[in-house]
Every structure is written in structure tokens, then in C-alpha cells.
């Protein structure tokens, strides 16, 4: 363990003895995170994991690093693969509550002092997720992408699953954690890596609005309002998060100049407003934004996507969110045309390629017949 940029003690970047690594088999464990707590769900979308509920006879205190083996499994199931380490001789006491919001996951984690590490071999392209962490009781230290920061109550930070990182806190702590797909945020703000490992204020501006709405969601997450309502809450959380991140001046200037970012913001506003128009083209976007077509393509050269690819990503993400909020009368054609696709077959093919299933599969449960109970 060492100090990173004056922050909390976090591990060095190479594997260290004493860490529990997801790739290292844990022996003598008879209880899994899933089987031990299946009965603890208090609502259709709620799961609870607690080290206090693991039976002692299953080796919780012996051979598993005082609960680290079990907690590592819980963290991997809830977030992604990480190494863990706590203080020498400390017995880990932790609880994790998880709620599903249809594509976005909300959780409340509390535990004793811990250090987490994500290694390069854990970072797969198929696991493109972001964590938004809001500490409640004390500071957390975080390092990623060559940046180190400390995040205190009243602030939040972003963590990417695509790059190695170190995360830790020296005292018992609790935090809200929002997990969302990279694609959902990327469609709103571009590549999210430039926003990681920075602290954001949730006591003023759009950060306050994001925080307050998140708190409102936490007060309702134990009530099952239905799939459409959960999807709507998830979309609004992501929208408010995106607005909060855009207000941070350092993040905006980290990848582009202020002038280029102003152009990109104006372009995105226009595209989102006209996303349902199938005739929306790079030429029309450039004209509406007051720039040349050539300069438009230059702006997108830094994003790793062409203008057309970016518009298609926005349309597919918009369609996916619309399907999450759909009712039993919604058709695939309505979703396709509402997102700006002029051809339903083309839309279905692109949707399946991106999300791994047909758009009709998201509507099928809504149309399943409801049989009255037998008398």
C-alpha cells in the first residue's frame, strides 16, 4: 500500500500478496453469494448480500481471508472482477443492497476499510461498464488513467471497467454506487474515459439535481413500480449525470479545445432534437450548426466514430430506451420510425447486432397473456 497524490493509501499497480484475485481459485468455500442470499430479496428487483449471514461452519473465518473470499465473489457478481485487501488481522464486515432499474443498477455498499484493484487482465471489451460512486461517511481514494483523486461526501466520481484502477478507504464507509453501460453515457457525452478519476460536486448546479434525483430514486427503489417506471428512472438518472459531467471545465478541456467542445455540444443538441427525422444527414447537421461539412468530419475524427456512426448509435440507444418504457400496444415499427430509421428490417438487424437480441424480444413479455387464477 502507498499514498497516491496525497490521497488515501491504495495498492501499487502490480499483483500483491494478500489480495484476493478473481482469477485465483478460492478453496473450502461451500456457500456462494447467490445461493446464500436468495431468500433475502425484499422486492422483485432487490438483492441483499451480508457477511454476517454466512455460516461459520462453511469456513468463513478460516482459509478465506476473514470474509474476503466471500466478499470478492459478491463484488464480482454485482460490479466486475476486482482484487480485494483489508487490514492485517481485520475481519471483514460488509453489506451490499442491489436494485435493478432495467439496464441500470443501483446499489448501497457498506463495509470496513478495504482496498480494491482492477488489473489489466480483468479489463475485457465485453465488460464495458461505468460505476458512479457517491461516498456517504468518509473519503475514498481513486486512481485511473494516470489521474488520482480523493472523493468526499458531497462529491461523486466515475470509474471505468475498461482500464485498471485502484480504489480504497481507510475507515468503515458506506456509498451509493450506480452501474451503467458505457454505451448509454457515450451516446450523450462522447467517450466517457475523459471524465473518470475526477471529483464532481453534488451540492450545487446540475450535480445537485443529479444527487437529489438519485436520493429520490433510493426512497422508492424497494417499491416495484413496474418495468416501464424503472426504465424511465434509469434514463432520467443518466440524462442528469451527463448534464452534471458537462459542467466540469477540466473534463471538457481534457480531450478537445473549448471551441471544439462548444461545436460538439451544439451539434449534439441539434441531432437529439431531430433524431426521429430519417433525412438527418451530415450535410444537414453541418448546415444547422453553422460549420462546413469538412470541419464537421474533422471534429468527429477525434471521437473514433464517423458522424453517421455516431447518429446511428444515438438512434439505437434511443430505441432501446423507448423499448424499455414501452407498453403492450407498442410495435417495433413505431419504435424504429420514432428513432429515425426508415426501414424496419434494417433497424431490427442493427439492433440485434448491437444488443444481442431482436427488438421484438423486449416487447414479447408485455404481450404475454395474463391467465386468471384457478378457482
Amino acid at each position: 500500500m502507498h499514498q497516491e497524490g496525497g490521497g488515501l493509501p491504495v495498492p501499487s499497480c502490480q499483483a500483491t500478496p494478500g489480495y484476493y484475485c478473481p482469477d485465483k481459485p478460492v478453496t473450502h468455500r461451500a456457500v456462494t453469494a447467490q445461493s446464500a442470499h436468495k431468500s433475502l430479496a425484499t422486492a422483485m428487483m432487490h438483492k441483499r448480500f451480508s457477511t454476517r449471514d454466512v455460516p461459520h461452519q462453511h469456513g468463513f473465518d478460516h482459509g478465506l481471508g476473514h470474509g474476503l473470499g466471500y466478499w470478492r465473489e459478491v463484488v464480482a457478481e454485482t460490479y466486475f472482477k476486482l482484487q480485494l485487501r483489508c487490514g492485517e488481522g481485520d475481519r471483514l464486515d460488509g453489506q451490499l443492497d442491489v436494485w435493478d432499474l432495467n439496464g441500470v443498477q443501483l446499489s448501497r455498499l457498506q463495509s470496513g476499510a478495504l482496498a480494491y484493484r482492477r488489473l489489466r487482465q480483468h479489463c475485457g471489451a465485453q465488460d464495458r461498464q461505468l460505476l458512479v460512486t457517491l461516498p456517504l461517511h468518509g473519503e475514498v481514494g481513486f486512481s485511473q488513467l494516470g489521474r488520482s483523486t480523493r472523493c468526499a461526501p458531497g462529491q461523486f466520481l466515475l470509474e471505468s471497467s475498461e482500464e485498471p484502477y485502484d480504489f480504497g478507504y481507510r475507515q468503515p464507509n458506506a456509498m451509493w454506487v450506480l452501474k451503467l453501460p458505457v454505451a448509454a453515457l457515450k451516446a450523450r457525452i462522447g467517450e466517457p474515459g475523459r471524465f473518470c478519476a475526477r471529483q464532481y460536486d453534488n451540492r450545487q448546479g446540475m450535480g445537485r439535481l443529479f444527487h437529489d434525483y438519485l436520493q429520490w430514486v433510493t426512497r422508492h427503489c424497494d417499491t416495484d413500480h413496474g418495468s416501464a417506471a424503472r426504465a424511465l428512472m434509469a434514463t432520467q438518472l443518466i440524462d442528469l449525470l451527463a448534464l452534471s459531467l458537462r459542467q466540469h471545465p477540466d473534463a471538457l478541456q481534457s480531450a478537445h479545445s473549448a471551441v471544439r467542445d462548444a461545436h460538439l455540444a451544439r451539434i449534439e443538441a441539434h441531432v437529439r432534437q431531430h433524431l426521429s427525422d430519417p433525412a438527418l444527414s451530415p450535410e444537414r447537421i453541418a448546415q444547422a450548426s453553422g460549420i462546413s461539412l469538412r470541419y464537421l468530419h474533422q471534429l468527429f475524427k477525434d471521437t473514433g466514430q464517423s458522424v453517421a456512426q455516431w447518429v446511428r448509435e444515438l438512434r439505437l440507444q434511443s430505441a432501446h430506451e423507448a423499448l424499455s418504457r414501452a407498453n403492450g400496444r407498442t410495435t417495433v415499427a413505431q419504435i424504429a420510425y420514432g428513432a429515425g430509421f426508415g426501414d424496419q428490417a434494417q433497424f431490427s438487424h442493427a439492433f440485434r447486432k448491437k444488443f444481442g437480441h431482436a427488438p421484438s424480444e423486449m416487447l414479447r413479455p408485455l404481450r404475454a397473456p395474463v391467465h386468471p387464477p384457478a378457482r
Side-chain angles (χ1 to χ4, degrees):
M1 303 276 282
H2 65 277
Q3 295 288 112
E4 282 278 2
L8 297 175
V10 294
S12 59
C13 291
Q14 57 227 344
T16 304
Y19 279 84
Y20 268 89
C21 177
D23 296 326
K24 180 181 179 181
V26 179
T27 58
H28 310 300
R29 180 170 63 241
V31 180
T32 65
Q34 187 174 11
S35 63
H37 302 283
K38 188 175 181 181
S39 62
L40 292 176
T42 59
M44 183 180 69
M45 54 192 174
H46 178 211
K47 292 187 293 184
R48 170 171 290 173
F49 306 99
S50 175
T51 57
R52 298 183 180 185
D53 295 325
V54 180
H56 290 271
Q57 63 266 30
H58 288 293
F60 180 72
D61 286 326
H62 303 285
L64 291 180
H66 303 280
L68 274 182
Y70 168 77
W71 195 247
R72 172 193 61 78
E73 186 177 280
V74 167
V75 167
E77 180 180 324
T78 305
Y79 305 120
F80 32 69
K81 290 182 178 180
L82 292 164
Q83 288 186 333
L84 281 74
R85 186 177 186 181
C86 64
E88 292 295 331
D90 290 346
R91 172 191 166 93
L92 176 63
D93 187 13
Q95 180 171 303
L96 182 59
D97 289 273
V98 187
W99 294 268
D100 174 36
L101 299 177
N102 278 27
V104 170
Q105 176 187 277
L106 177 64
S107 58
R108 189 181 190 276
L109 182 152
Q110 58 186 40
S111 78
L114 269 175
Y116 299 83
R117 173 187 294 156
R118 186 155 171 83
L119 299 176
R120 173 62 65 186
Q121 59 261 38
H122 303 152
C123 305
Q126 75 281 2
D127 188 25
R128 308 191 68 208
Q129 301 287 331
L130 290 168
L131 300 183
V132 183
T133 299
L134 297 86
L136 299 177
H137 299 328
E139 281 189 341
V140 299
F142 183 66
S143 296
Q144 189 173 47
L145 295 166
R147 295 190 290 268
S148 297
T149 189
R150 290 180 294 175
C151 185
Q155 300 172 326
F156 66 91
L157 61 82
L158 256 68
E159 310 157 38
S160 170
S161 71
E162 298 183 273
E163 295 290 336
Y165 70 70
D166 291 309
F167 178 92
Y169 39 95
R170 293 182 293 183
Q171 302 294 331
N173 211 335
M175 59 206 71
W176 286 104
V177 183
L178 192 66
K179 180 183 177 183
L180 62 150
V182 168
L185 196 58
K186 185 176 180 180
R188 292 163 168 81
I189 63 170
E191 185 55 52
R194 58 197 175 112
F195 296 93
C196 293
R198 302 178 187 276
Q199 57 179 237
Y200 299 91
D201 193 342
N202 61 26
R203 295 162 296 189
Q204 59 184 353
M206 292 306 303
R208 175 67 180 270
L209 190 56
F210 165 68
H211 172 267
D212 288 354
Y213 186 71
L214 178 64
Q215 292 301 304
W216 180 86
V217 171
T218 65
R219 291 194 293 270
H220 291 266
C221 56
D222 268 331
T223 304
D224 185 11
H225 295 290
S227 176
R230 295 200 304 273
L232 181 60
M233 288 190 287
T235 300
Q236 291 174 339
L237 274 172
I238 298 172
D239 284 339
L240 291 172
L241 173 62
L243 290 172
S244 302
L245 296 175
R246 283 180 179 155
Q247 282 194 339
H248 196 280
D250 291 340
L252 287 175
Q253 295 172 12
S254 63
H256 305 288
S257 70
V259 173
R260 291 165 74 98
D261 278 309
H263 281 307
L264 288 170
R266 187 163 57 250
I267 290 165
E268 182 175 355
H270 175 79
V271 170
R272 286 189 177 279
Q273 186 177 357
H274 298 85
L275 201 57
S276 61
D277 182 2
L280 186 66
S281 64
E283 290 80 8
R284 289 194 175 189
I285 295 170
Q287 184 178 12
S289 304
I291 59 177
S292 69
L293 179 61
R294 180 180 179 183
Y295 185 57
L296 175 66
H297 288 305
Q298 286 179 344
L299 287 173
F300 276 81
K301 193 174 182 180
D302 292 332
T303 68
Q305 288 180 306
S306 69
V307 181
Q309 287 172 333
W310 174 69
V311 171
R312 172 171 286 226
E313 285 290 311
L314 284 180
R315 284 176 166 159
L316 288 171
Q317 192 64 43
S318 174
H320 190 277
E321 292 171 2
L323 284 165
S324 299
R325 300 191 299 267
N327 56 47
R329 298 183 298 274
T330 305
T331 67
V332 173
Q334 289 173 330
I335 297 293
Y337 299 140
F341 288 91
D343 185 287
Q344 183 178 333
Q346 183 188 54
F347 162 69
S348 296
H349 176 75
F351 190 95
R352 180 186 288 275
K353 185 176 180 181
K354 178 173 177 60
F355 296 106
H357 55 80
S360 57
E361 293 179 39
M362 295 184 67
L363 296 176
R364 195 170 297 144
L366 301 174
R367 294 171 181 163
V370 178
H371 300 288
R375 295 185 178 179

